[in-house]
């Protein structure tokens, strides 16, 4: 990791530092030749306000991103939003009533059992927030986005354990609902003011129909708590969102005064007045630059390095190192190239075949390969191969060093 935590005297200084880091990070990743995009993100456990991540699309990534190709909207699913069909408010509100639903646990089972649509159901999850139970109500099969929930609630939040569910609600997961739940209830925005809903009855094997969230759940709060799904509509332009895995290359965010206030880290201004210092937080996963570069630059033979990230400029292969002429020439070229300041990886093994050496050179992916073999040496020549496009040429030994300097 490369980390930076600048200390400023005010928020104006923080804004300037943030913009400079943003620009510097873009320059670094551009120069490395990495295709990346910038997403709005949660600043996570660290807190703070404005936050952006530099991401690279990759199945090997540990983050999930929602991205709109049409307008460029991009956000970590931890905070991503979409347009999705809300639950309805019907003109007529039914009275709520209990329904026997033996062995019905999931929303899909409930829909099949009652022959109803997912949009008429509300799923309940119980969380413990600073020691107190909270019921989170989601539309249909929507999953709770725990980052959004934590951001909304603040403090400590965790899912309730199965034993706690029974203790708090009297029922197991799959039979829990808002009616008769005497603690805090937060519903996702898609459920706002919905009626004629089906949910758990806080009694195993029972559900309740005809729930009117305005009439029956008077203390309800609403928030955006959903996890965005693939193909949902972009909140900016309405096009379909792509949701995919990505690697986080870098992260910049405004930490503000969260820690300086908590720890009492103040400075004295010109007039002797105390103020909390204002902090930014900027990081690059240096080793991830290499991982991301390789994810974007390879073929079936191996890595394809380019400057400036290539660990070596030239991969020098002495084909048959038991032959004195091959060994002497290769050693001399190695020394000459090093004198020119080039980084050379020299394959001087004398116990493997030419085929193994060629394959290893392609696998390691150094941009330029120089192949010294008996056949070409008879004509005082050597072979030069470019890894990226497999282009090969035969070069006079006398002009070899200059040719390789040109290629670098
Ligand atoms: Zn869009």
């Amino acid at each position: 990791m490369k980390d930076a935590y600048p200390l400023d005297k005010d928020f104006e200084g923080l804004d300037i530092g943030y913009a400079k880091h943003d620009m510097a990070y873009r320059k670094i990743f551009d120069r490395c030749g990495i295709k990346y995009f910038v997403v709005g993100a949660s600043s996570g456990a660290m807190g703070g306000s404005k936050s952006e991540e530099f991401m690279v699309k990759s199945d090997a990534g540990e983050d999930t991103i929602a991205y709109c190709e049409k307008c460029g909207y991009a956000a970590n699913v931890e905070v991503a939003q979409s347009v999705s069909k809300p639950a309805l408010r019907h003109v007529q509100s039914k009275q709520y009533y209990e329904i026997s639903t033996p062995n019905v646990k999931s929303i899909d089972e409930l829909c099949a059992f009652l022959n109803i649509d997912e949009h008429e159901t509300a799923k309940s999850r119980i969380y413990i927030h600073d020691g107190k139970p909270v019921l989170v109500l989601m539309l249909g099969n929507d999953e709770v986005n725990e980052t959004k929930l934590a951001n909304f609630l603040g403090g400590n939040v965790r899912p309730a354990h199965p034993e706690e569910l029974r203790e708090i609600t009297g029922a197991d997961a799959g039979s829990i609902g808002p009616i008769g739940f005497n603690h805090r209830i937060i519903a996702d925005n898609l459920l706002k003011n919905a009626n004629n809903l089906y949910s758990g009855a806080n009694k195993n094997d029972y559900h309740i129909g005809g729930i009117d969230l305005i009439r029956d759940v008077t203390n309800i709060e609403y928030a955006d708590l959903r996890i965005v799904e693939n193909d949902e509509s972009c909140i900016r332009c309405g096009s379909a969102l792509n949701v995919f895995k990505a690697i986080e290359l870098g992260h910049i965010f405004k930490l503000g005064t969260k820690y300086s206030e908590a720890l009492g880290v103040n400075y004295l201004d010109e007039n002797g007045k105390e103020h909390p210092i204002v902090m930014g937080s900027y990081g690059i996963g240096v080793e991830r630059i290499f991982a991301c570069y390789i994810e974007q630059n390879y073929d079936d033979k191996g890595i394809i390095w380019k400057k400036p990230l290539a660990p070596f400029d030239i991969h020098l292969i002495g084909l048959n190192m038991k032959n004195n002429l091959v060994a002497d020439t290769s050693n001399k070229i190695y020394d000459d190239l090093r004198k020119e300041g080039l980084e050379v990886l020299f394959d001087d093994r004398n116990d493997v075949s030419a085929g193994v050496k060629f394959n290893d050179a392609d696998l390691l992916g150094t941009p330029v390969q120089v192949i010294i073999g008996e056949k070409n040496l008879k004509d005082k020549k050597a072979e030069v191969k470019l890894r990226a496009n497999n282009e090969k040429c035969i070069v006079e030994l006398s002009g070899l060093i200059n040719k390789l300097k040109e290629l670098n």
Side-chain angles (χ1 to χ4, degrees), residues 126-128 146 157-161 164:
I126 305 290
Y127 286 84
I128 306 296
E146 295 187 349
V157 190
R158 63 161 175 87
H161 306 307
E164 289 175 317

Side-chain angles (χ1 to χ4, degrees), residues 67-73 233-241:
Y67 180 64
C68 173
E69 232 160 77
K70 185 119 181 263
C71 76
Y73 172 75
S233 302
C234 170
I235 50 153
R236 276 202 209 143
C237 76
S239 300
L241 287 173

Side-chain angles (χ1 to χ4, degrees), residues 117-136:
D117 189 86
E118 203 188 305
H119 270 76
E120 300 173 79
T121 67
K123 178 168 70 181
S124 302
R125 291 271 184 260
I126 305 290
Y127 286 84
I128 306 296
H129 171 230
D130 288 341
K132 294 193 189 106
V134 177
L135 187 147
V136 176

